[in-house]
Amino acid sequence: TPNIIAWSLFDDRGTVINSREDVTASPDSTITIVLFGDDLKRTSATDRGIRKLTVYAEYDSDLGSDLPITAEHEFRVADFIGI
């Protein structure tokens, strides 16, 4: 189980989306991150709709303390007609 977990949401240019930077989560073996509303909207006409969800955690093991883990998932958001 990690000591700390935090996540951030960026576009492909590194701009933070919907103030979702360094959002902390309760450390557990599994966490759920729910994105909705403005998290999944394009921010401007030039926004290509590419999002990067970055998760950072630290854990302890026999090899050391506060060892970092970083993961990133890239996905696209789409404009829906009529919504």
Side-chain angles (χ1 to χ4, degrees):
T1 303
N3 302 324
I4 63 164
I5 299 175
W7 60 272
S8 300
L9 183 63
F10 302 98
D11 67 13
D12 60 326
R13 295 179 177 106
T15 303
V16 175
I17 300 297
N18 196 25
S19 302
R20 300 291 204 164
E21 185 171 28
D22 297 327
V23 178
T24 58
S26 296
D28 205 340
S29 57
T30 302
I31 65 165
T32 301
I33 298 171
V34 179
L35 303 176
F36 64 97
D38 288 344
D39 298 332
L40 303 173
K41 286 171 126 178
R42 291 190 177 194
T43 58
S44 68
T46 60
D47 183 347
R48 299 185 308 168
I50 298 170
R51 298 291 180 264
K52 295 183 179 197
L53 177 67
T54 303
V55 179
Y56 175 82
E58 291 180 358
Y59 70 100
D60 296 336
S61 83
D62 294 340
L63 300 175
S65 298
D66 299 327
L67 299 172
I69 304 171
T70 303
E72 185 173 85
H73 178 71
E74 184 174 295
F75 62 97
R76 290 187 175 271
V77 295
D79 288 334
F80 291 102
I81 297 172
I83 295 178

